[in-house]
Amino acid sequence: MEYDFDVAVIGSGVGGLCAGALLARRGYRTLLTESLDRWGGRFSTVEENGFLLPTGAILLHRNGPLEAVFKEVGVEFEVVNLPKTLHCRIEGKDYPMRLNNPLSLIDVAADLEISRGGLVRLGGSLAREIGKKRVLKAFGKGVEDPLGGGSNLTFREWLMQYTDNEVVHKVFDAIIVGVLACRSWELPASQFFYYMTRLGSLADAGVAPKGNVRLVQGLVDAVREKGEAWLNSPARRIVVKRGSARGVVVEREGREVEVSCRAVISDTGPKRTVELAGSDNFDDRYLREVRMRLRAGPAMLILVGSDRPVLPEGAPFLLIVGARRLVVGGELAILCPGLAPPGKHLSYYCGYPLNSLLPMEVEWEEIQCRRDLEEHFPDIKEHGEILRMEAHDVDSELPGARAWPGYDMPPETPIRNLYNVGEGVRAPGWSGTNKAAQTAIEVAHTVSKVLG
Ligand SMILES: Cc1cc2nc3c(=O)[nH]c(=O)nc-3n(C[C@H](O)[C@H](O)[C@H](O)COP(=O)(O)OP(=O)(O)OC[C@H]3O[C@@H](n4cnc5c(N)ncnc54)[C@H](O)[C@@H]3O)c2cc1C
């Protein structure tokens, strides 16, 4: 073999970076190999005309597994906190929302429904109080015991048991699709409860002031202290011998090189891992699970440059309820001026199709997002330009989410010493970058034990 390492990590998304940095810090000779010409996958930054544009993740939560990894490897987790109160736009009006208590929106939703006469016939504010209490009580029970009453229901079905107030349904749908990339009528209720059990401790969300790539570079440096990190180097094959992962074949500088190692960690998603290791090496049950269970989620990411802020001054970070597609938007350069060139502003928006199972009709989704932008943020037309509108489709290399919560795979595979990390891997209650980091923590722990 031309190269010899303890561990080879394929892919430098959050999961791969965190696993690689943790293992390198623990003394294992680690190779991190990445097919693109930049690190970080959906947790990175590309520079365009002086704007630092995110490639996916934007809001990073403190106090979770992601920050824990940075602490353990001794890399600064530089994040500027969002204001504690964000806003939620419902029917054109912006309401304050505490990040750690989005349920306060039930009040607003119930008020709206009353003002439209929906509940007046049931007794006005009294009915509203009773309705709200029923929803909150049931919700509290769900969070205490996620697999209790609602386990076979979608979240929408679960909520229908307590209210058919469409505004309440739309509020929950926006929260769910905004963080989990699938709709309230698709997600099992239990998975949203799991997520809510973690949310309280994750109230502090923020944005990386120099772009995610700056954070990523710290983790890459940590890998390099005890190993190597290669860009433009796609793994072409995982070498499996007698049921055990023994190495990786990587394309590097125009030729294939062989790397031997004692454990392989793949951050490419469980489907791609199977392709790399060869489906013949997996049993039918596992292959069926990968085909049937894994469900990616789609998302549209829209980045707008402008010569003045386009979100309202009092509500620069918004959850948008009931729009065609747009669900979140935020003024990034107000919080982190370094993300835009002097005198310019950068805002982002995420939109989601109504169906998360099937590939998007991208042109149609773009039209819907543009219509939402025009309606909600008319200043963009005169003062801004869309810098990027990216479809992260269910079948693309870098989807909105690699798996809906509960539709993911365990980190272990039927092949000894071959593990998956990243967002397609199970970590109940976590989402996005924290989910990917949590899987890396677990796999790094297992690999350290196995390798000794
Ligand atoms: C629009 C959008 C908005 C988001 N917003 C947020 C947010 O605000 N907060 C949050 O926490 N999360 C957010 N997320 C989710 C977050 O980006 C992901 O959860 C996280 O980045 C996933 O990391 P991962 O470990 O799964 O790796 P990925 O990002 O999937 O990266 C995988 C890496 O593997 C590489 N690779 C693939 N095949 C090979 C190969 N054969 N050889 C070598 N390398 C290979 C790829 O090039 C890539 O770099 C968002 C995602 C999107 C798309």
Side-chain angles (χ1 to χ4, degrees), residues 10-16 33-36 40-43 56-59 233-235 267-268 272 276 299 301 350 392 397-400 402 422-423 431-434 436:
I10 306 172
S12 71
V14 181
T33 187
E34 166 57 51
S35 61
L36 299 180
R42 288 171 286 161
F43 177 59
I58 291 155
L59 303 187
S233 303
D267 184 31
T268 66
R272 182 53 58 86
L276 287 170
L301 173 61
C350 290
H392 290 267
E397 276 275 322
L398 300 173
R402 206 172 287 289
E423 212 191 14
S431 74
T433 49
N434 264 322

Side-chain angles (χ1 to χ4, degrees), residues 323-324 372 423:
R324 291 174 191 82
D372 279 341
E423 212 191 14

Side-chain angles (χ1 to χ4, degrees), residues 202-223:
L202 292 176
D204 294 333
V207 176
K210 294 164 191 143
N212 292 335
V213 74
R214 186 61 78 91
L215 300 179
V216 162
Q217 191 59 51
L219 297 180
V220 173
D221 293 344
V223 172

Side-chain angles (χ1 to χ4, degrees), residues 305-341:
S306 56
D307 55 28
R308 67 182 207 197
V310 289
L311 278 101
E313 198 185 330
F317 285 85
L318 265 182
L319 181 75
I320 306 157
V321 171
R324 291 174 191 82
R325 298 294 186 273
L326 289 196
V327 170
V328 287
E331 285 288 351
L332 293 174
I334 286 192
L335 198 65
C336 303
L339 298 179

Side-chain angles (χ1 to χ4, degrees), residues 58-280:
I58 291 155
L59 303 187
L60 307 177
H61 287 278
R62 284 192 177 281
N63 308 321
L66 184 64
E67 186 171 18
V69 171
F70 278 78
K71 276 198 181 130
E72 179 169 340
V73 299
V75 174
E76 191 191 355
F77 188 63
E78 195 188 355
V79 162
V80 177
N81 278 10
L82 294 184
K84 292 262 183 252
T85 303
L86 307 185
H87 286 80
C88 176
R89 177 166 293 185
I90 306 177
E91 300 190 340
K93 207 169 155 210
D94 298 337
Y95 300 88
M97 169 178 86
R98 300 282 299 173
L99 193 55
N100 61 355
N101 186 17
L103 297 188
S104 60
L105 288 175
I106 292 180
D107 262 337
V108 175
D111 277 342
L112 269 173
E113 201 59 4
I114 286 169
S115 68
R116 291 194 306 205
L119 292 179
V120 170
R121 65 183 183 281
L122 295 176
S125 62
L126 179 64
R128 177 204 130 172
E129 278 307 312
I130 295 168
K132 192 182 93 182
K133 275 197 185 128
R134 264 160 60 85
V135 175
L136 290 180
K137 194 168 160 208
F139 201 89
K141 276 173 94 174
V143 174
E144 264 170 39
D145 178 17
L147 289 176
S151 60
N152 349 321
L153 303 177
T154 65
F155 186 81
R156 184 177 167 87
E157 287 167 336
W158 176 88
L159 187 57
M160 268 299 173
Q161 300 179 108
Y162 307 101
T163 177
D164 59 0
N165 177 330
E166 266 314 312
V167 187
V168 174
H169 277 270
K170 283 180 184 166
V171 167
F172 276 108
D173 180 53
I175 296 170
I176 286 173
V177 74
V179 288
L180 303 174
C182 63
R183 292 287 181 173
S184 61
W185 46 89
E186 299 170 320
L187 184 75
S190 54
Q191 295 301 326
F192 187 51
F193 294 136
Y194 275 130
Y195 173 74
M196 290 304 292
T197 59
R198 307 280 192 200
L199 189 68
S201 59
L202 292 176
D204 294 333
V207 176
K210 294 164 191 143
N212 292 335
V213 74
R214 186 61 78 91
L215 300 179
V216 162
Q217 191 59 51
L219 297 180
V220 173
D221 293 344
V223 172
R224 283 197 166 129
E225 276 175 29
K226 193 69 194 177
E228 293 187 29
W230 301 344
L231 280 177
N232 298 307
S233 303
R236 293 296 182 209
R237 216 168 60 245
I238 294 169
V239 180
V240 181
K241 286 184 189 151
R242 289 188 291 282
S244 187
R246 306 295 284 275
V248 184
V249 175
V250 178
E251 189 181 316
R252 197 171 182 225
E253 292 164 359
R255 67 185 191 94
E256 287 196 343
V257 297
E258 288 209 28
V259 174
S260 78
C261 58
R262 297 194 286 151
V264 176
I265 298 175
S266 170
D267 184 31
T268 66
K271 267 188 192 151
R272 182 53 58 86
T273 304
V274 166
E275 287 167 18
L276 287 170
S279 56
D280 292 353

